[in-house]
Amino acid sequence: MANIKILSTHAVQELLRELGPLFERAGGFSLTIDYDPANALKRRIEDDTAFDVVIVTRPVIDALARQGKVHREACTDIGRSGLGVAVRQGAAKPDITTVEAFKHALLAARSLVRSKEGTSGLYVETLLDRLGIADAMRDKIVLGPSGRIAELVARGEAEIAVQQIPELLPVKGVQYVGPLPAELQLYTVFAAGVGSAAKDRAAAKAFVDALVTPSAAALFNLKGVEPTPR
């Protein structure tokens, strides 16, 4: 039985939790999945961490292809997600439907958690500058670890979280408020690629192909990721 080692961003963790076992049963493969932010995965791969398939943001996979770490012809976009807001379960949901409302919600919050180095966290840092509230928010920022930062909201360690929508939806103890206003929204495209040193390239390619089937697309939608049109 071929084992496929996958390095993946957290944004598709819920998707792989359901799709992975289906793939294993259908193809007779076993999967080992390791999650980290895209930029952290890039560093690990550059440091020669072994992998068969990587699922990261499009800019990161393009960089890995240029370095020869993944087969360029075996890279494919699988979906995209936007950013959303979550608050603790039972708390009043703030109005974030307009830019001004979103800005007011942030200023009214006691604390805001963002990821330390994930795509969403880096964007939030620039977004606060863009909204002109970086100084006002400086002492309210909580830097979350890699993974689901809304867990800090669930534990009462922060009042509001901004992150990729598919990373907010599964967190117990919080409620999803909604997406960022369209004018502020950042969509991140996720892509999958086969490693240049993959032990079983055919098996790795089969897994990447499974991510773009109609059944996978339906699952993407349920998990807060918009599948790439085919």
Side-chain angles (χ1 to χ4, degrees):
M1 177 184 293
N3 176 263
I4 304 172
K5 182 174 182 180
I6 302 168
L7 300 179
S8 175
T9 177
H10 293 90
V12 295
Q13 184 171 353
E14 287 302 304
L15 171 76
L16 296 184
R17 190 189 305 277
E18 294 196 29
L19 186 63
L22 298 176
F23 178 80
E24 289 177 322
R25 289 196 294 269
F29 303 106
S30 65
L31 304 179
T32 302
I33 308 175
D34 189 357
Y35 296 98
D36 241 339
N39 289 322
L41 291 175
K42 179 176 179 288
R43 290 196 300 270
R44 290 173 59 186
I45 290 171
E46 289 171 342
D47 289 338
D48 295 326
T49 294
F51 72 100
D52 299 302
V53 173
V54 62
I55 303 173
V56 283
T57 59
R58 171 46 74 172
V60 168
I61 212 159
D62 286 342
L64 294 173
R66 288 193 296 270
Q67 296 175 35
K69 299 291 188 179
V70 295
H71 292 285
R72 185 178 297 276
E73 69 278 9
C75 296
T76 184
D77 291 343
I78 60 173
R80 71 172 191 171
S81 73
L83 302 183
V85 171
V87 296
R88 198 171 189 182
Q89 191 70 44
K93 288 186 177 182
D95 178 11
I96 60 168
T97 55
T98 67
V99 173
E100 281 304 310
F102 176 71
K103 179 178 176 179
H104 176 76
L106 295 184
L107 290 171
R110 293 188 303 277
S111 55
L112 164 70
V113 60
R114 70 167 180 85
S115 61
K116 184 176 182 180
E117 65 171 343
T119 301
S120 62
L122 299 176
Y123 177 69
V124 168
E125 186 175 18
T126 64
L127 183 58
L128 296 179
D129 278 327
R130 177 178 164 188
L131 293 173
I133 59 173
D135 288 339
M137 295 296 297
R138 195 174 311 281
D139 294 335
K140 298 183 179 184
I141 299 297
V142 178
L143 295 178
S146 63
R148 298 169 179 170
I149 62 169
E151 291 176 351
L152 276 71
V153 174
R155 297 196 297 264
E157 297 173 23
E159 184 174 340
I160 190 170
V162 177
Q163 198 175 29
Q164 303 277 0
I165 294 170
E167 295 186 68
L168 298 175
L169 294 177
V171 178
K172 297 184 183 302
V174 304
Q175 52 186 339
Y176 175 60
V177 177
L180 266 60
E183 302 94 320
L184 304 178
Q185 187 59 270
L186 173 72
Y187 285 101
T188 299
V189 174
F190 299 102
V194 175
S196 298
K199 292 181 180 178
D200 188 334
R201 184 176 176 183
K205 181 63 165 58
F207 179 76
V208 172
D209 290 343
L211 296 175
V212 295
T213 60
S215 58
L219 190 56
F220 270 59
N221 281 316
L222 290 175
K223 302 301 181 183
V225 179
E226 299 177 21
T228 301
R230 300 295 167 188

